Amino acid sequence: MKPMEPKLKTMGWLIRREYWEHKGMLLWVPVAIATLMVAFALAMAFMGHNAEIHWDMPEGKASGVTILMGQRQQVALADKAAATYPIVAAPLYMALGFMVFSYCIGALYNERRDRSLLFWKSLPVSDAATVVSKAALALLLIPLGIVVLALATALLVTLIALGVLAYKGTNVLPLLLTSPHFWLTPLKLVALVPVYMLWALPTVGWLLMVSSWARSKVFLWAVGAPLLTAMLLSWANKAFTLGLDMEWLFSNIISRLLVSVVPGSWFAIEALRRPVEYAGAVAERGPTSEVHGVVDALFNGSWAAVATPNLLIGALAGVLMIAAAIWLRRHREEG
């Protein structure tokens, strides 16, 4: 058996190569988004330091230039902030889907277009290792990096907001730091990265396969072909009464090929979404502590997706399409 260390070392260098070639998109774009979010929060904090704050909670309302809360309200506010503060970085989670999509769609096409493929093929690195390194970057390292950056950004924005609140007369930072949810929520978010990896496999596999196959117009082939096929099937279904379930086709084929890189898109499955909606309805009517039920429902529902045929079949299809991308890269060298 060959030692694994050289293979891991090669994989590490291949991933570094991808990072260097796409540093602008993989590093500076998310850092710019995070910086803008923090700058906006700081601007609002300084510009609105004399503004009147209105705060509605099931435990009571608070408003005015100076905010004074009772102990019960402070505990409820800190508890809610501890459980939900990662949501503040929602723009970064949305950017994750665009980044993975943009990276995959050009990952194997660009090296054929600029002929750098001939140089990389002259090196003692297999096609399989090259394609797997690109898939690993898209499925693991980009999401993990975004989650870490999003947590840091959300924490900064939350601290700025709590700083404003403390300036107004109520300091809940000690309560926030002593809440166990403040430390557990980020761990739960990081624990969802494997779910994202499995769910995003069909889109990543499809984009890598098209990127390895198309001679030009990769975006049109990757996005236009599934949509055009769906449109023709929809027309034929109505014109000839074929009895096709177009809703099933869109939710299980088209959307899985194109939008599975969007975090949380597995909640399009009704059986996974229903408990979250129920927990949300309970939280609206109940005390602030019920918000933990929503967070738990999101976490449990995400892991429940792993046992669904939609994820398992999609993951298998994604692996097969990545294998097809490896075969295509091995046999197509033209620009």
Side-chain angles (χ1 to χ4, degrees), residues 129-153:
T130 302
V131 176
V132 169
S133 70
K134 295 173 185 290
L137 188 68
L139 291 168
L140 175 61
L141 298 178
I142 296 177
L144 199 57
I146 290 292
V147 167
V148 172
L149 181 63
L151 287 172
T153 305

Side-chain angles (χ1 to χ4, degrees), residues 146 208 235:
I146 290 292
L208 288 177
W235 168 79

Side-chain angles (χ1 to χ4, degrees), residues 6 9 54 69 94 97 126 129 136 138 165 273 277-278 301-302 322:
K9 192 173 181 179
H54 299 270
M69 293 183 181
M94 294 170 65
S126 67
L165 191 62
R273 188 176 65 248
E277 291 175 342
Y278 175 76
S302 296
I322 289 174

Side-chain angles (χ1 to χ4, degrees), residues 8 73 76 83 118 131 140-141 152 155 158 233 237 276 285 329:
L8 293 176
Q73 285 180 309
L118 300 176
V131 176
L140 175 61
L141 298 178
L155 183 58
T158 302
L233 284 174
N237 192 39
V276 179
R285 297 191 300 269
R329 186 182 190 272

